[in-house]
Amino acid sequence: MRVSIVLPRGMRFSPEGATSIDLVARDLILASRYREATSVVGAAVDNPFPDVPFRAVVASSQRGMIAGCVDRLKADRPEVILVHQHPESAAAIARAMPGVPVILHRHGLLKKPRGWLSRWRRARQLEQVKRIVFVSQFIRGTFLEDFPRVAAKSVVIPNGVDTGLWLPATKERRITYVGRARADKGIGELLEAFLGLDAPGWTLSLVMSVQSEEEAAFARAIEARADGRADVELFRSLTIDAVRAELARSAIAALPSIVREGFPRAVVEAMSCGCAVIAGTGGGTPEAAGEAAILLDAVDAASVRAALARLVADPVLCTTLGAGARAHAASQLDLGVVARRYDDLIADVASKGA
């Protein structure tokens, strides 16, 4: 079966600077029984992932991006199209290719409709797609508050992880953050917590993904606050292999996001790598973490410091939590299990047609 995956503007399907959505899309393709007949359509990048066929689109606007995607899709003639994150793109592609069913895959919260006209337009867009995949019950439930009529065609499939690839290594006294360089990810609170922590021999590693000038400015501000401390290491936009190596050797992963996450990939990856995980309770994070992490009701420097101090002072607890996190990821979130559910959805949609 020919399957096309569409990544709207803002995605970067490359080992350098891939977003979490890019990585989810690639993982699902690599684990899919339709892998050999699947391709990705997305914004042009210098170095796309080499293990998935990639159709580059060059566009300076959203309208141009959609038109470019449609051109590539018509050339590939897929039997099913999956559009990540962007309802407008999914609806426009469905209208342009009426004989092909389109699935929308939502990873995060939608902006609330500003009024009846905005709500009506979005509802019309959602009528065009055959199914909607949500990464968590939290995202689905919030979505249905505004658009309850799509309940029957919605399904929850969480983000998975290749637990045979994301593996623990020899653990070091490292506390690692992985994620976007944004204030609402709790990086400032984490840095302040560590700077006030009595933890000789421990290192804080901040692995920040920088994808805009605003994020670059935030990263520079964090670097200035670290003030050259030898026990604070800062990285920008590492490759996925380097991120995996960093988590593999870290005893603790501190991911104290303030924003309500959909189903945070970084938490799942850290758990698979056997890290003792500290995270916020917002959004779908509790669904991802289960009982295998320390979840903070309030993300501030004091609460993050207290959680870190607890783990730093108790190596047995740190090791136990890491082992429990690894077991949770392997038993509940392994990519093979998730990909089978995703493939079954594709097959079901294809069998029903457009």
Side-chain angles (χ1 to χ4, degrees):
M1 184 190 313
R2 295 185 305 279
V3 180
S4 289
I5 309 298
V6 178
L7 298 172
R9 294 180 74 201
M11 306 297 101
R12 184 175 177 81
F13 197 69
S14 168
E16 290 85 36
T19 69
S20 60
I21 295 174
D22 294 300
L23 297 174
V24 168
R26 174 174 174 259
D27 279 355
L28 287 169
I29 294 168
L30 294 180
S32 172
R33 61 180 178 261
Y34 305 119
R35 173 179 177 176
E36 299 303 320
T38 299
S39 59
V40 170
V41 180
V45 292
D46 292 334
N47 180 32
F49 284 111
D51 46 12
V52 177
F54 183 69
R55 318 302 194 219
V57 175
V58 178
S60 58
S61 66
Q62 183 60 50
R63 180 174 295 180
M65 183 69 189
I66 292 173
C69 288
V70 169
D71 288 343
R72 301 298 185 275
L73 292 168
K74 287 183 176 179
D76 283 345
R77 300 172 62 189
E79 296 167 73
V80 176
I81 300 169
L82 298 102
V83 179
H84 282 266
Q85 192 67 350
H86 200 238
E88 291 85 348
S89 295
I93 289 169
R95 288 193 298 269
M97 302 189 68
V100 185
V102 174
I103 301 170
L104 173 65
H105 191 157
R106 283 294 307 178
H107 299 259
L109 293 172
L110 273 174
K111 292 182 179 179
K112 287 287 186 180
R114 292 187 296 273
W116 72 267
L117 182 59
S118 175
R119 186 184 302 274
W120 176 80
R121 286 175 175 166
R122 181 56 50 78
R124 288 288 302 273
Q125 291 166 358
L126 297 174
E127 289 176 1
Q128 306 296 315
V129 302
K130 294 301 177 182
R131 298 294 289 274
I132 305 175
V133 177
F134 297 98
V135 297
S136 65
Q137 292 289 354
F138 163 72
I139 293 295
R140 179 180 184 271
T142 305
F143 196 93
L144 294 183
E145 289 176 3
D146 291 317
F147 304 101
R149 294 179 62 180
V150 305
K153 61 180 178 181
S154 67
V155 61
V156 173
I157 300 178
N159 293 335
V161 63
D162 185 344
T163 58
L165 184 62
W166 292 81
L167 292 164
T170 300
K171 292 299 184 182
E172 302 173 12
R173 290 190 290 180
R174 298 181 72 80
I175 301 162
T176 294
Y177 164 86
V178 173
R180 298 285 288 272
R182 294 190 343 219
D184 61 7
K185 294 293 187 175
I187 304 172
E189 288 76 5
L190 171 58
L191 177 57
E192 184 180 345
F194 182 78
L195 295 179
L197 185 68
D198 181 18
W202 283 80
T203 297
L204 175 64
S205 173
L206 299 177
V207 180
M208 296 180 287
S209 174
V210 176
Q211 298 174 13
S212 66
E213 178 51 42
E214 182 180 2
E215 291 178 352
F218 180 81
R220 290 193 294 269
I222 290 295
E223 290 163 358
R225 287 172 63 182
D227 195 27
R229 285 266 300 249
D231 56 354
V232 179
E233 298 180 1
L234 300 107
F235 304 95
R236 292 197 194 189
S237 299
L238 293 182
T239 66
I240 191 62
D241 291 339
V243 171
R244 186 168 58 249
E246 193 68 13
L247 286 173
R249 66 176 176 150
S250 299
I252 300 170
L255 308 162
S257 183
I258 298 167
V259 70
R260 295 186 295 171
E261 303 281 357
F263 196 91
R265 180 183 173 91
V267 168
V268 177
E269 292 169 345
M271 292 169 66
S272 187
C273 285
C275 301
V277 175
I278 299 169
T281 56
T285 300
E287 293 178 55
E291 302 295 324
I294 296 175
L295 299 180
L296 306 176
D297 291 326
V299 175
D300 52 48
S303 60
V304 175
R305 186 180 299 120
L308 290 174
R310 180 183 170 197
L311 293 176
V312 166
D314 191 341
V316 173
L317 174 62
C318 190
T319 300
T320 300
L321 279 176
R326 168 68 189 173
H328 174 75
S331 64
Q332 302 297 319
L333 301 172
D334 183 74
L335 181 61
V337 175
V338 173
R340 282 194 294 274
R341 291 178 58 189
Y342 208 69
D343 285 349
D344 290 345
L345 172 68
I346 291 172
D348 180 64
V349 170
S351 70
K352 293 179 171 60

